[in-house]
Amino acid sequence: EVQLVQSGAEVKEPGESLKISCKGSGYIFTNYWIAWVRQMPGKGLEWMGVIYPDDSNTLYSPSFQGHVTISADKSISTAYLHWSSLKASDTAIYYCARESRRGLGMGYWGQGTLVTVSS
Amino acid sequence: DIQMTQSPSPLSASVGDRVTITCQASQDISKYLNWYQQRPGKAPKLLIYDASNLETGVPSRFSGSGSGTDFTFTISSLQPEDVATYYCQHYDNLPRFTFGPGTKVDIK
């Protein structure tokens, strides 16, 4: 069974750094891309970027380029989303999602990680 | 950049009703469109890929159609468990993705 398990909720202060994780299991991690999606409180879904775990090639949405870093460690089947300096506006639920088996949809999703940034 | 719009939002219907949501792209996107369901407090779920293909395990009351700039998502007979927000999503071959704003569906 394909599973994506994300790290737990975080509460941080503005200016702090943060890395959240997404661990894949039940499939060959390097065979499918992983995407990150943001959902701000009460709002819709926003694609942030995608990583190919085999070679760590990444593609970012222009809206998020330079604000976050997506990485992966294929030895432990885990993808990451990193901020070097959080802002209050980064408060949101962050989802990771894996490529579908058919088509180019996001066929498998993590449970989401709530990040709260507040002083 | 390609922009996606959805209508209506919100949408209120009775159990058993046929529900239709439309999604429009700002330029021709062929059939590069997916539909997702997000129930309250849950992660999104892929329902339809490539505009009209039903994802494995998804009930047949869900369907999608369209190509180019105009797409339709239909629930043939609304069930209580279908209360959710539905998103269309364009993708390209890189892949890059653009979500529509979502359509919230509830029961009258």
Side-chain angles (χ1 to χ4, degrees), chain A residues 3 8 13 36 42 57 63-64 67 72 74 93 95 103 106 116:
Chain A
Q3 282 195 311
E13 293 188 357
W36 285 95
N57 189 28
S63 299
F64 293 92
H67 296 289
K74 60 185 178 183
I93 297 174
Y95 293 100
M106 299 176 184
T116 303

Side-chain angles (χ1 to χ4, degrees), chain A residues 44-45, chain B residues 5-12 19-24 35-39 73 75 82-88 99-106:
Chain A
L45 305 173
Chain B
T5 57
Q6 288 182 233
S7 62
S9 190
L11 185 159
S12 187
V19 168
T20 299
I21 298 168
T22 61
C23 175
Q24 190 167 53
W35 289 95
Y36 296 82
Q37 174 193 64
Q38 187 179 29
R39 291 178 171 135
F73 172 81
I75 307 173
D82 300 336
V83 169
T85 301
Y86 294 85
Y87 296 91
C88 62
F99 286 97
T103 294
K104 188 174 182 180
V105 174
D106 65 16

Side-chain angles (χ1 to χ4, degrees), chain A residues 38-114:
Chain A
R38 183 176 78 175
Q39 188 166 40
M40 298 178 75
K43 302 299 183 182
L45 305 173
E46 300 173 271
W47 172 67
M48 301 176 72
V50 66
I51 187 165
Y52 289 84
D54 190 37
D55 59 7
S56 287
N57 189 28
T58 54
L59 182 62
Y60 292 92
S61 162
S63 299
F64 293 92
Q65 178 89 47
H67 296 289
V68 295
T69 302
I70 296 171
S71 61
D73 185 340
K74 60 185 178 183
S75 70
I76 55 171
S77 300
T78 301
Y80 300 96
L81 183 62
H82 174 251
W83 294 261
S84 59
S85 181
L86 287 160
K87 303 175 183 177
S89 57
D90 293 317
T91 294
I93 297 174
Y94 294 88
Y95 293 100
C96 63
R98 198 209 84 172
E99 179 181 2
S100 307
R101 286 188 181 147
R102 294 174 295 174
L104 270 179
M106 299 176 184
Y108 302 89
W109 292 71
Q111 81 276 21
T113 295
L114 174 62

